[in-house]
Amino acid sequence: ADDTVVQEGLNLKIPMIERVILMDCRTQKAEISCSTASRDLQEVSLKVAVNYNVSVETAYSIFKTIGVNYESIMISPSILESVKSVTAQYTAEELITKRSEVSNKMEESLTAKIVERGFTVIDFNITDLDFSAAYNQAIEKKQVAEQEAKQAEYELEKAKIENEKKIAEAEANAKVMQVQNDST
C-alpha cells in the first residue's frame, strides 16, 4: 500500500503487489439544477455549471478520504449548499439585477468549502435562472400596471396642457373684447 503519487507518463508497478488508481486532475465540469427560495420567499430554479479540478498534490489524500466518486460525494453537495445559501440572501428581483454579484458570491462560497479538500474552482456560471409561473405573472401584471399608470399620467398632462391653452385663449378673447368695449 504505497501512497506514492506518480505523474502521468510511463511508470512501473510491481504486478499483484501494487495497483494503480487513476485520478483525473484535468479540468472537469459539474452541472447542477436545483430549486430554492429567494429572500422574499419566491421559488427560484437555477442551473449552474462549475469547472473545477483536483490538485495533483492532494490527489492521494482525496482518494484516501473521499474516493474516486468525489463529484457526487463532495463537489455536487457543496455546489448545492453554496447556491441555496447565497440565493436566500437576495430578493427575486436582486437575483436578476445583481446576477454577476450573486454568481461571484456563489463561487466564493463554493471555493471556501472545497479548496481545503484539494479542489480548485476554475469557473462558475449561472446558466439558467427561472421563477415560478405565479411570480412571472405577477411581474407581467406589475409591468402592465406601470405602463397603464404612465399612460394615465401622460393623458392627464395632455389634458392639463389643453386646458391651459383654452384658458389662455379665453383670456386673450376677453382682453380683445375689453379693448373693443373700451374703444367704443
Side-chain angles (χ1 to χ4, degrees):
D2 188 7
D3 60 358
T4 305
V5 175
V6 293
Q7 299 301 316
E8 70 263 5
L10 186 60
N11 293 286
L12 300 174
K13 76 171 186 90
I14 302 169
M16 304 227 229
I17 295 175
E18 293 180 329
R19 67 184 177 134
V20 175
I21 306 295
L22 297 176
M23 293 287 288
D24 193 352
C25 294
R26 296 175 298 175
T27 299
Q28 299 173 63
K29 180 179 181 179
E31 284 188 312
I32 303 293
S33 296
C34 70
S35 291
T36 186
S38 62
R39 189 176 71 205
D40 55 351
L41 303 178
Q42 295 300 322
E43 184 181 337
V44 183
S45 296
L46 291 144
K47 185 175 184 181
V48 297
V50 179
N51 292 339
Y52 70 96
N53 66 18
V54 173
S55 169
V56 174
E57 296 80 27
T58 59
Y60 179 73
S61 173
I62 290 170
F63 172 72
K64 285 296 257 184
T65 59
I66 302 171
V68 292
N69 295 325
Y70 49 83
E71 185 171 319
S72 63
I73 294 170
M74 180 76 189
I75 302 297
S76 295
S78 296
I79 294 170
L80 281 171
E81 175 56 30
S82 297
V83 166
K84 289 183 177 199
S85 67
V86 172
T87 302
Q89 297 172 22
Y90 292 89
T91 64
E93 184 177 348
E94 289 171 335
L95 289 172
I96 297 168
T97 59
K98 297 179 179 181
R99 186 172 177 148
S100 178
E101 178 183 321
V102 170
S103 181
N104 289 339
K105 282 200 174 185
M106 287 177 181
E107 182 176 358
E108 289 169 10
S109 174
L110 177 61
T111 299
K113 288 179 186 323
I114 66 173
V115 73
E116 292 175 4
R117 302 297 293 267
F119 300 96
T120 304
V121 176
I122 306 298
D123 197 20
F124 188 101
N125 292 298
I126 299 173
T127 57
D128 193 21
L129 176 66
D130 199 15
F131 300 95
S132 68
Y135 184 71
N136 288 334
Q137 287 173 351
I139 289 173
E140 190 175 320
K141 285 180 183 176
K142 179 182 175 187
Q143 289 174 335
V144 167
E146 285 175 358
Q147 288 298 322
E148 288 173 349
K150 284 181 182 178
Q151 182 65 30
E153 190 176 302
Y154 170 76
E155 294 294 332
L156 181 63
E157 190 63 33
K158 188 176 169 184
K160 253 190 211 180
I161 291 169
E162 289 296 319
N163 211 14
E164 287 172 2
K165 283 181 183 176
K166 287 179 183 176
I167 291 171
E169 280 180 28
E171 286 175 351
N173 287 340
K175 283 184 181 178
V176 167
M177 291 178 108
Q178 180 71 32
V179 169
Q180 285 176 352
N181 286 340
D182 287 347
S183 59
T184 54

